[in-house]
Amino acid sequence: MTSTKQFQVTFDCADPERVARFWCEVLGYVVPPPPKGFASWTEFDRSLPPERQGSAFACVDPSGVGPRLFFQRVPEGKAVKNRVHLDVRVGTGLVGEERVAALEAECARLVALGAVRVQLLRADG
């Protein structure tokens, strides 16, 4: 029997919408349409009890290939290293200075979105 499984990656964070919109920009994901009966996510959010407003946000791959990303607000701050992270691969198939140029361009784009550059690892020399 063949089974098709879908999954989402869930992240705990302090500001779900801000973090989700960052990853939309990084990955080319989009915010899915709001639930039926609501004209916008803002309208849906306002229908929730005050303690649940702004507590979650999601983004999806418009091609339907990548997993859904779900961000949920949690009250506690981060205490230890993240156990899940996303590796964004850039410059696949490129080598040398062409690869480094692609990495640098993407790094500049992501830093402008709020990312932090830690280091550049030169894998090919």
Side-chain angles (χ1 to χ4, degrees), residues 28-68:
Y29 271 41
V30 297
V31 176
K36 192 172 185 168
F38 295 94
S40 68
W41 280 106
T42 301
E43 183 182 321
F44 171 76
D45 200 51
R46 287 185 188 138
S47 74
L48 299 173
E51 67 275 6
R52 290 198 46 225
Q53 291 178 5
S55 65
F57 212 81
C59 56
V60 296
D61 179 355
S63 72
V65 175
R68 178 178 190 255

Side-chain angles (χ1 to χ4, degrees), residues 10-125:
T10 301
F11 297 89
D12 293 349
C13 58
D15 189 346
E17 183 173 354
R18 183 179 62 82
V19 178
R21 290 191 184 279
F22 170 82
W23 283 106
C24 281
E25 291 295 322
V26 171
L27 301 173
Y29 271 41
V30 297
V31 176
K36 192 172 185 168
F38 295 94
S40 68
W41 280 106
T42 301
E43 183 182 321
F44 171 76
D45 200 51
R46 287 185 188 138
S47 74
L48 299 173
E51 67 275 6
R52 290 198 46 225
Q53 291 178 5
S55 65
F57 212 81
C59 56
V60 296
D61 179 355
S63 72
V65 175
R68 178 178 190 255
L69 302 181
F70 183 77
F71 302 87
Q72 61 187 6
R73 184 177 61 215
V74 294
E76 68 276 358
K78 182 177 151 184
V80 296
K81 180 180 174 186
N82 290 342
R83 291 181 181 244
V84 175
H85 64 272
L86 301 179
D87 288 330
V88 180
R89 300 184 69 201
V90 177
T92 304
L94 302 177
V95 294
E97 290 308 311
E98 188 177 19
R99 180 176 180 274
V100 172
L103 290 170
E104 291 292 351
E106 183 65 358
C107 180
R109 185 180 82 84
L110 298 180
V111 166
L113 293 172
V116 176
R117 180 183 185 144
V118 176
Q119 64 181 328
L120 171 65
L121 299 174
R122 293 181 181 266
D124 56 338

